[in-house]
Amino acid sequence: MPTLTRWYIKSALVYLAVALILALLLALPATVNLPLFIRFMTPVYFHLFLVGWVTQMIFGVIYWMFPIITRVQPRGNVQIGWLSYALLNAGLLLRMIGEPLVATQSAAGLGWLLVVSALLQWLGIVFFVYLAWPRVKEKYRGG
Amino acid sequence: MPRLSQWIIRAALIYLLSGITIGALLLAHKGAPFLPVLWVWLPAHIEFLLMGWIVQLTLGVAFWILPRYWQQPRRPHEGYALIAFVLLNLGIWLVVAGTTFRAGAWVLFTGRLAEVGAVLFFAAHAWGRIVSREGA
Ligand code: HEM
Ligand code: HEM
């Protein structure tokens, strides 16, 4: 299993655990006095689950298992893979903090956090698709 | 990877790109509002990413990698998988038409119906391939 895949899959598992802990907190009845910050984390919960866990798990397995391109550079440019990993995770973590912050302190002028987070996640996924696209093909048969 | 899986997986990657482009615009808009009409695209964001990306990628990989038969055709009822692919994409667009483009409740309903059909056709294709090493 390539190192990049191990990072994707281990990170995915951590996101799954965090997402489900957050889901538990959100499932507490409204009478429980949770910090407002947590109450505003519903979209964060979905996206830790769907981007952090599901999508990142898929990325790790695609990078590992899809047909290789050539023996010399089987999985394309791995630097792009690391860049994609870093951008996606930085963007998602920034959303995790930024989205509830913007919701609870709307006067603080922190909206740009979400703009940056959106851009980082978008770039991270675009780089991954760029890397994966040429590997959607027949099995490698030499040459 | 068989030709049909290649189509299905490429479609899934295109939905991923489209879906996150909508999502990124929505998130940016949440931070620095610039185009309130973007919210109309939330159902398309959800549909593209849950059905177009996650479900579709899973079906494409399953068609490729589930155990194959020893005899021809190695992948049984290939036509069913092709029908599933067509129905799923028709369904996605009808759902988006029925929500984001406000084409009406029955368009949305027909879209969901096409998606159910897609899943049934795919199951009919894949059922016999879901076996242990001994083939039981
Ligand atoms: C221990 C397991 C889980 C718990 C405690 C849990 C809890 C919750 C809660 C409390 C909500 C509502 C959030 C709100 O609106 O305030 C929710 C929504 C949601 N959950 Fe989970 N969840 C769990 C597992 C899952 C799983 C396995 C999936 C997906 C495969 C999932 C997908 C979703 C989705 C998509 C929504 C949003 C529904 C909507 O659009 O309103 N959850 N969950
Ligand atoms: C890749 C897989 C993704 C899936 C499956 C997904 C799914 C969803 C779902 C189910 C919702 C609805 C939550 C609700 O009912 O309120 C949602 C909302 C949203 N998504 Fe995503 N999403 C994905 C990626 C992204 C990305 C990458 C971004 C941004 C860069 C994004 C931005 C948003 C925003 C801003 C909302 C609206 C949140 C709100 O209600 O305020 N999504 N998404």
Side-chain angles (χ1 to χ4, degrees), chain A residues 5 8-9 56-66 135:
Chain A
T5 293
Y8 271 128
I9 296 182
Q56 194 146 226
M57 182 81 186
I58 293 173
F59 281 6
V61 175
I62 286 181
Y63 184 74
W64 175 26
M65 292 281 206
F66 270 24
R135 295 181 60 193

Side-chain angles (χ1 to χ4, degrees), chain A residues 16 19-28 39 42 45-46 49-50 53-54, chain B residues 46 50:
Chain A
L16 175 62
L20 290 189
I21 290 168
L22 199 49
L24 274 179
L25 292 176
L26 290 169
L28 289 171
R39 290 279 178 211
T42 300
Y45 152 58
F46 301 147
F49 197 108
L50 293 164
W53 158 245
V54 180
Chain B
I46 298 171
L50 290 177

Side-chain angles (χ1 to χ4, degrees), chain A residues 43 46-47 50-51 55 95 99 117-118 121-122 125, chain B residues 16 20 23-24 26-27 30 39 42 45-46 49-50 53-54:
Chain A
F46 301 147
H47 291 85
L50 293 164
V51 180
T55 298
R95 178 176 189 176
E99 203 168 23
S117 161
Q121 292 183 72
W122 188 83
I125 294 176
Chain B
L16 173 64
I20 60 146
L26 280 172
L27 190 62
K30 247 183 127 165
W39 284 112
L42 181 60
H45 169 71
I46 298 171
L49 289 166
L50 290 177
W53 161 238
I54 296 174

Side-chain angles (χ1 to χ4, degrees), chain B residues 16-75:
Chain B
L16 173 64
L17 290 179
S18 326
I20 60 146
T21 301
I22 301 171
L25 290 172
L26 280 172
L27 190 62
H29 178 74
K30 247 183 127 165
F34 62 97
L35 195 62
V37 67
L38 277 174
W39 284 112
V40 175
W41 285 83
L42 181 60
H45 169 71
I46 298 171
E47 189 66 15
F48 283 178
L49 289 166
L50 290 177
M51 289 294 166
W53 161 238
I54 296 174
V55 172
Q56 184 144 249
L57 182 94
T58 313
L59 299 188
V61 171
F63 183 77
W64 169 33
I65 225 144
L66 283 173
R68 281 166 292 164
Y69 290 1
W70 287 109
Q71 293 136 4
Q72 296 292 343
R74 308 272 322 265
R75 292 185 176 85

